[in-house]
Structures are given as structure tokens and as C-alpha cells.
Amino acid sequence: MTGTATFASWFDTYERVFRDPDSLAETACPNCGARTLRMIFIVRSHEAENGTAVFWCDSCRNGLQPLNAPVARGGERKIRGTETVPDYSFVLDDGLE
């Protein structure tokens, strides 16, 4: 699978991984099909319940624009300022393009 995936397919994938962060390693990128998706939650403290969700593919460097979100149960947390996020292209909502 290669091509330009829609915002809807990216967001559906985000929601599935959000519900089960352990499935991240086996989930295919909606754009390129690689199993190299990353999801981190940038937080102010390890106890924070909300943060900034960042979701991208390490292979094709596409992903969702970072968004304020609750931290997924079992999701990877990074204290703000310690995160390493590559420069990647945002998949935008069709209504915003």
C-alpha cells in the first residue's frame, strides 16, 4: 500500500491505537503500509492526564498534526522538552485544505 491516505483513515488509525497502545507495533501506516507508526504524549509531568498527542509514521514521515488530548492508558509519555519528533508532513482534514 502506498499513496496519500485521507485524514479520516489517519484519524481512524489514531483512535484504534489510542484505545490499544500495545497494538502500535503491529499497526500499518494508512499511507505507506509500514509498521513504523509512532504515538507519543508530550506532558508537563508523568502524572498528567492530558497532553499533546503526536502521531506519525517513521517511514513515510506523514502523520496527524499534534493535538491536545487525554493520555492513552499505557501510552508513551515524554516530558515536554525531552521529546524527539521528526519533521513530518501533516495529513489535513479535507475540510481544512
Side-chain angles (χ1 to χ4, degrees):
M1 172 190 336
T2 59
T4 305
T6 65
F7 175 84
S9 64
W10 270 94
F11 200 78
D12 287 347
T13 303
Y14 166 82
E15 287 183 320
R16 283 194 309 274
V17 172
F18 181 89
R19 287 191 300 273
D20 181 14
D22 290 336
S23 70
L24 187 62
E26 61 197 42
T27 302
C29 170
N31 188 62
C32 71
R35 286 175 166 59
T36 56
L37 291 173
R38 294 286 318 275
M39 177 187 281
I40 64 170
F41 294 89
I42 302 169
V43 294
R44 292 186 188 277
S45 72
H46 285 292
E47 298 78 30
E49 294 182 16
N50 295 297
T52 301
V54 188
F55 187 56
W56 76 94
C57 175
D58 261 344
S59 292
C60 69
R61 299 292 168 112
N62 285 281
L64 295 177
Q65 183 171 357
L67 59 132
N68 292 327
V71 176
R73 176 171 284 162
E76 182 180 356
R77 296 169 185 250
K78 296 287 185 182
I79 300 296
R80 185 170 305 283
T82 67
E83 74 277 3
T84 301
V85 177
D87 188 21
Y88 67 93
S89 297
F90 299 150
V91 178
L92 300 176
D93 188 342
D94 299 328
L96 298 177
E97 294 183 291

